[in-house]
C-alpha cells in the first residue's frame, strides 16, 4: 500500500537503539503511522505520495515537554514580565510603568519575580506599595508557588493575619502577626486570586490556541500538563472543536494530570480516577494524577532532612504524610500513573518510601518524581532500584542558581546540599529514565535552549558564565532522549511513540542543524523547520522545498 507522505532529510535520528547502516534519510507515513524507513533511493520505490524534501536538515522523533502549565500559565503571565530581573530598582521601575499603563479600576499584575532581586531585604509589600499608586497588585514569583500582594490587595481579600490551611501553605506575617504580603503555596494564593477579575472563556481560548501554536513552532509535538485548573478540559475540548474543521486538529498532543491535594478523601480520589478513564478528545486526555510532597527551596517550603539557612523547609506539604501514602496506594492499585512534585531530599525520600511499600503485583503504570533538586548519593541508589522515572527541568538549574552559589536557592541550602543539586547525569548513569521539560511559565518553553543548557550547565549563549556542577552535564544524546524516547517511557507510551520505528505514531521534529553534533550554543540558536503530528504538518517554515 502506498504511503500518504514521504519526508526526506539529510539525517534521520530514529532513537530506536538500532544504528542505521546506511543512516536513514527517508520516512514514509500512512494513516498517521510510520510506514517505512530507509534511504533516499529506497523512497523512490515506495510509490506515489506527497514528498517533502528538507535537504540537509535533521529529522528526529517529535519533541515532548514533560512538565508544563499552559492554562495555569495563561493566568500567571498576565501583566508585567519580571523574569530575569535581579535588581530591585529595575523591578520597581517596571511595576511603576505597568501601573501607569493599567486602566483605572484594574489590578496591577506582574510575574516571574526572582527573589534574588531583593538581595538581603525581606520580600515585603512595602517594597511595591508606593509604585502602584494605591491600586491592588499581585506579583507572582517565578517559582509559581508564591506571590507578593500589596496592601490594597490584602484589604480586598480580607487578609489581616495568619490563616490555617489543610496543606503546607502560609500567609507570611511579621512578628506582630501583620501580613507581609508574601503568600506561599496555592491555598494562600487562592485567598487573593478569587477576588481578581477573570478573562472571558473566549479570550482564554484564543490565548491558549496562540500558546499551542508557539509550542509547535518551537519544535514541540506533545506536552505533559501538570495541572488541571478550572476550565482546562472545557478549553481543550472547545479549542479542538474549533480546529477540527482545519484538518489539522490540535497542533500537539496534550496529556493532563489533575492535582490530588491534602485534605482529599477516597471519594475525591475515585472522582479523579473516573476522569482519567473518561476525559479525552482526539489529541488530549486526562492521563495521570499530580501530587505534591513539598513546595520550593526558594520560598522555604521544600521538605529537607535539615532546615535551610533560614530555619525553614522542614515540613511536608501533606501535614499527615501517611495520607499521601494512601493516595499513592489507591492510584497505583488502579494502574493510574502518578507524578509527585518532590524537590528536597526528605521529600524525594518520602516518595521513594511510599513506592517501596507498595505490593509487587500492582498493575503496571509509569510513576514519576518531578524536579528532584537536591539528593544525596544514597537516594540516587534507591531511585535506581525503585523503577520510578525522574522528570527534571535543566533550565531551573541554569536560570536560577549560580556556580558561585551566591543565589537564593544555593544559600538557603548551603554548600553540601547545593553541591548535590540538579543531579541529572548521576540519575542517568544509575539507569534511571530521565524525562525533560521546561515547567513553563516558571522557565521559557523553547526546547532547543533547554537541550543546550542540559549539556552546558549554564545558560546557552552566555559563554562568560561558569557551569554549575559541570559533572552533571548530559550528553547531546541523553538530552535529546529526555524529550523523545525517555519522554515516551515517562508516559507509558514507548510502544507507540518516542522513536522513529515502523508502526509508531508519525510525530516528528525537523531541525536545521543536528542536535547530536552541533555545539550546544549553536543548537540553542538553531531553527525548527517543521513539526509533524500524526503525519500532518503543524508547523512548516517558509522556504522549505516540497
Amino acid at each position: 500500500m502506498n504511503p500518504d507522505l514521504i519526508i526526506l532529510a539529510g539525517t534521520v535520528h530514529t532513537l530506536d537503539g538500532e544504528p542505521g547502516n546506511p543512516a536513514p534519510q527517508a520516512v514514509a507515513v500512512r494513516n498517521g503511522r510510520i510506514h517505512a524507513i530507509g534511504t533516499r533511493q529506497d523512497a523512490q520505490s515506495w510509490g506515489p505520495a506527497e514528498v517533502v524534501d528538507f535537504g540537509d536538515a535533521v529529522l528526529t522523533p517529535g519533541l515532548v515537554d514533560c512538565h508544563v502549565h499552559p492554562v495555569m500559565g495563561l493566568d500567571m503571565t498576565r501583566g508585567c514580565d519580571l523574569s530575569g530581573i535581579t535588581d530591585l530598582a529595575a523591578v520597581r521601575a517596571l511595576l511603576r510603568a505597568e501601573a501607569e499603563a493599567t486602566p483605572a479600576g484594574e489590578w496591577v499584575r506582574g510575574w516571574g519575580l526572582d527573589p534574588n532581586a531583593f538581595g538581603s531585604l525581606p520580600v515585603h509589600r512595602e517594597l511595591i506599595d508606593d509604585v502602584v499608586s494605591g491600586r491592588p497588585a499581585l506579583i507572582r514569583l517565578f517559582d509559581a508557588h508564591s506571590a507578593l500582594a500589596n496592601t490594597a490587595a490584602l484589604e480586598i481579600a480580607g487578609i489581616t493575619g495568619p490563616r490555617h490551611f489543610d496543606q503546607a501553605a502560609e500567609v507570611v506575617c511579621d512578628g506582630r502577626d501583620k501580613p507581609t504580603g508574601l503568600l506561599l503555596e496555592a491555598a494562600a494564593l487562592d485567598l487573593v486570586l478569587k477576588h481578581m477579575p477573570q478573562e472571558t472563556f473566549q479570550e482564554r481560548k484564543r490565548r491558549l490556541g496562540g500558546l499551542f501554536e508557539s509550542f509547535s513552532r518551537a519544535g514541540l509535538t506533545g506536552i505533559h500538563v501538570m495541572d488541571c485548573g478550572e476550565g482546562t478540559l472545557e478549553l481543550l475540548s472547545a479549542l479542538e472543536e474549533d480546529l477540527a474543521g482545519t484538518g489539522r486538529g490540535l497542533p500537539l498532543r496534550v496529556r493532563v494530570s489533575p492535582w490530588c491535594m491534602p485534605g482529599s478523601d477516597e471519594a475525591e480520589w475515585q472522582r479523579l480516577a473516573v476522569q482519567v478513564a473518561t476525559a479525552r478528545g482526539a489529541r488530549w486526555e486526562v492521563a495521570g494524577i499530580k501530587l505534591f510532597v513539598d513546595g520550593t527551596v526558594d520560598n522555604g517550603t521544600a521538605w529537607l532532612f535539615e532546615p535551610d539557612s533560614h530555619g525553614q523547609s522542614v515540613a511536608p506539604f501533606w501535614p499527615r504524610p501517611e495520607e499521601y501514602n494512601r493516595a499513592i496506594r489507591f492510584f497505583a492499585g488502579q494502574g493510574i500513573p502518578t507524578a509527585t512534585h518532590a524537590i528536597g531530599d526528605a521529600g524525594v525520600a518520602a516518595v521513594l518510601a511510599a513506592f517501596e511499600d507498595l505490593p509487587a503485583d500492582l498493575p503496571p503504570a509509569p510513576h514519576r518524581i518531578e524536579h528532584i533538586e537536591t539528593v544525596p548519593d544514597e537516594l540516587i541508589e534507591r531511585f535506581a532500584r525503585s523503577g520510578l522515572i525522574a522528570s527534571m527541568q535543566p533550565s531551573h538549574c541554569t536560570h536560577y542558581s549560580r556556580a558561585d552559589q551566591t543565589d537564593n536557592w544555593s544559600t538557603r541550602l548551603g554548600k553540601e546540599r547545593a553541591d548535590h543539586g540538579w543531579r541529572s547525569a548521576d540519575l542517568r548513569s544509575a539507569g534511571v529514565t530521565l524525562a525533560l521539560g521546561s515547567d513553563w511559565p516558571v522557565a521559557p518553553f523553547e526546547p532547543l535552549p533547554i537541550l543546550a543548557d542540559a549539556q552546558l550547565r549554564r545558560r546557552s549563549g552566555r559563554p562568560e558564565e561558569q557551569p554549575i556542577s559541570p559533572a552533571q552535564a548530559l550528553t547531546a544524546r541523553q538530552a535529546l532522549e529526555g524529550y523523545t524516547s525517555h519522554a515516551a517511557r515517562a508516559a507509558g507510551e514507548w510502544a507507540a511513540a518516542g522513536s522513529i520505528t515502523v508502526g509508531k505514531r508519525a510525530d516528528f521534529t525537523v531541525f536545521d542543524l543536528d542536535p547530536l553534533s552541533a555545539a550546544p550554543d549553536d543548537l540553542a540558536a538553531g531553527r525548527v523547520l517543521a513539526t509533524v503530528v500524526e503525519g500532518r504538518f503543524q508547523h512548516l517554515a517558509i522556504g522549505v522545498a516540497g
Side-chain angles (χ1 to χ4, degrees):
M1 300 176 70
N2 295 329
D4 307 313
L5 172 69
I6 296 172
I7 300 177
L8 305 177
T11 303
V12 175
H13 290 308
T14 63
L15 295 187
D16 62 0
E18 298 295 330
N21 190 16
Q25 293 185 312
V27 178
V29 176
R30 180 174 174 80
N31 295 332
R33 298 278 172 174
I34 298 169
H35 181 69
I37 304 165
T39 65
R40 286 175 178 264
Q41 184 175 359
D42 293 334
Q44 295 176 13
S45 65
W46 288 344
E50 177 188 2
V51 177
V52 179
D53 190 342
F54 287 96
D56 293 333
V58 177
L59 181 117
T60 73
L63 302 184
V64 176
D65 188 318
C66 292
H67 193 121
V68 69
H69 299 278
V71 176
M72 189 171 80
L74 295 179
D75 299 323
M76 283 186 57
T77 57
R78 294 174 66 187
C80 180
D81 182 0
L82 301 170
S83 55
I85 308 299
T86 56
D87 175 77
L88 183 57
V91 168
R92 285 169 51 82
L94 286 168
L95 289 176
R96 181 178 288 109
E98 181 70 18
E100 292 171 352
T102 300
E106 295 189 11
W107 286 57
V108 177
R109 303 169 185 257
W111 63 281
L113 178 60
D114 189 335
N116 288 303
F118 293 85
S120 60
L121 296 173
V123 180
H124 199 287
R125 56 187 162 82
E126 292 176 351
L127 297 173
I128 65 170
D129 271 343
D130 62 321
V131 299
V132 296
S133 304
R135 297 184 184 189
L138 185 73
I139 314 303
R140 303 293 294 259
L141 272 69
F142 81 86
D143 63 5
H145 287 247
S146 53
L148 180 60
N150 76 333
T151 299
L154 294 176
E155 290 174 351
I156 290 172
I159 300 174
T160 59
R163 296 290 184 93
H164 172 75
F165 304 99
D166 289 333
Q167 57 188 253
E170 183 180 1
V171 173
V172 177
C173 295
D174 60 20
R176 299 172 298 159
D177 279 347
K178 297 295 183 183
T180 66
L182 183 59
L183 307 171
L184 304 181
E185 302 301 336
L189 268 66
D190 286 344
L191 297 175
V192 173
L193 291 174
K194 67 184 181 182
H195 294 279
M196 299 179 69
Q198 301 298 312
E199 288 182 307
T200 67
F201 183 86
Q202 292 300 321
E203 177 61 15
R204 294 180 84 204
K205 183 176 68 170
R206 183 193 66 79
R207 291 181 63 211
L208 183 63
L211 179 63
F212 282 179
E213 292 292 343
S214 296
F215 286 171
S216 180
R217 290 193 297 271
L220 295 174
T221 64
I223 53 175
H224 297 176
V225 178
M226 288 294 147
D227 67 88
C228 187
E230 184 178 355
T232 294
L233 303 186
E234 292 80 5
L235 285 167
L236 290 171
S237 181
L239 183 59
E240 186 165 67
E241 184 177 352
D242 287 353
L243 293 171
T246 67
R248 294 170 56 224
L250 286 180
L252 69 174
R253 302 182 189 276
V254 181
R255 295 174 57 88
V256 179
S257 294
W259 289 357
C260 175
M261 300 293 273
S264 60
D265 57 18
E266 191 162 330
E268 171 65 9
W269 303 343
Q270 185 60 49
R271 186 192 68 80
L272 291 170
V274 170
Q275 203 172 45
V276 171
T278 61
R280 57 182 35 85
R283 286 191 185 149
W284 66 267
E285 63 178 328
V286 176
I289 301 297
K290 170 77 178 295
L291 306 97
F292 299 77
V293 296
D294 65 358
T296 69
V297 170
D298 281 286
N299 69 25
T301 58
W303 189 9
L304 302 170
F305 287 125
E306 300 293 337
D308 67 12
S309 62
H310 294 214
Q312 298 176 327
S313 283
V314 290
F317 186 74
W318 291 62
R320 294 171 294 279
E322 65 274 10
E323 294 180 3
Y324 165 81
N325 294 355
R326 287 203 297 271
I328 285 295
R329 183 177 290 264
F330 175 87
F331 293 118
Q334 299 197 34
I336 295 174
T338 65
T340 301
H341 169 121
I343 277 178
D345 46 21
V348 174
V351 180
L352 291 172
F355 280 93
E356 288 165 347
D357 287 343
L358 291 178
D361 59 349
L362 293 179
H367 298 286
R368 302 162 42 165
I369 301 182
E370 308 295 313
H371 306 310
I372 316 154
E373 292 187 3
T374 178
V375 288
D377 293 344
E378 184 266 338
L379 290 186
I380 297 286
E381 296 166 3
R382 283 177 62 188
F383 211 125
R385 294 193 299 268
S386 73
L388 291 169
I389 292 158
S391 171
M392 300 180 73
Q393 300 74 43
S395 49
H396 283 197
C397 168
T398 59
H399 284 223
Y400 301 121
S401 60
R402 302 173 188 149
D404 63 6
Q405 299 185 346
T406 59
D407 58 281
N408 181 59
W409 183 89
S410 299
T411 56
R412 275 185 174 268
L413 287 176
K415 178 173 173 52
E416 181 178 358
R417 288 183 298 206
D419 284 346
H420 285 97
W422 324 109
R423 298 182 68 177
S424 51
D426 285 344
L427 286 163
R428 277 299 307 258
S429 295
V432 174
T433 296
L434 177 62
L436 300 181
S438 67
D439 201 13
W440 185 87
V442 172
F445 61 75
E446 289 80 5
L448 271 65
I450 296 173
L451 293 171
D453 282 20
Q455 300 170 62
L456 294 167
R457 298 291 289 193
R458 61 162 171 81
R459 285 178 290 182
S460 56
R462 304 198 183 193
E464 73 281 1
E465 292 184 353
Q466 292 298 308
I468 300 155
S469 301
Q472 296 302 323
L474 297 179
T475 67
R477 187 175 188 87
Q478 289 172 337
L480 184 60
E481 287 171 343
Y483 267 84
T484 54
S485 56
H486 283 225
R489 291 184 172 94
E493 294 188 326
W494 175 242
S499 68
I500 299 177
T501 304
V502 171
K504 287 193 176 185
R505 294 194 303 236
D507 296 354
F508 312 123
T509 302
V510 184
F511 303 80
D512 71 340
L513 38 62
D514 192 336
L516 295 188
S517 61
D521 284 311
D522 293 338
L523 175 63
R527 185 179 177 214
V528 171
L529 300 180
T531 53
V532 180
V533 176
E534 217 167 359
R536 294 181 180 271
F537 283 99
Q538 301 297 328
H539 162 64
L540 185 61
I542 296 173
V544 173

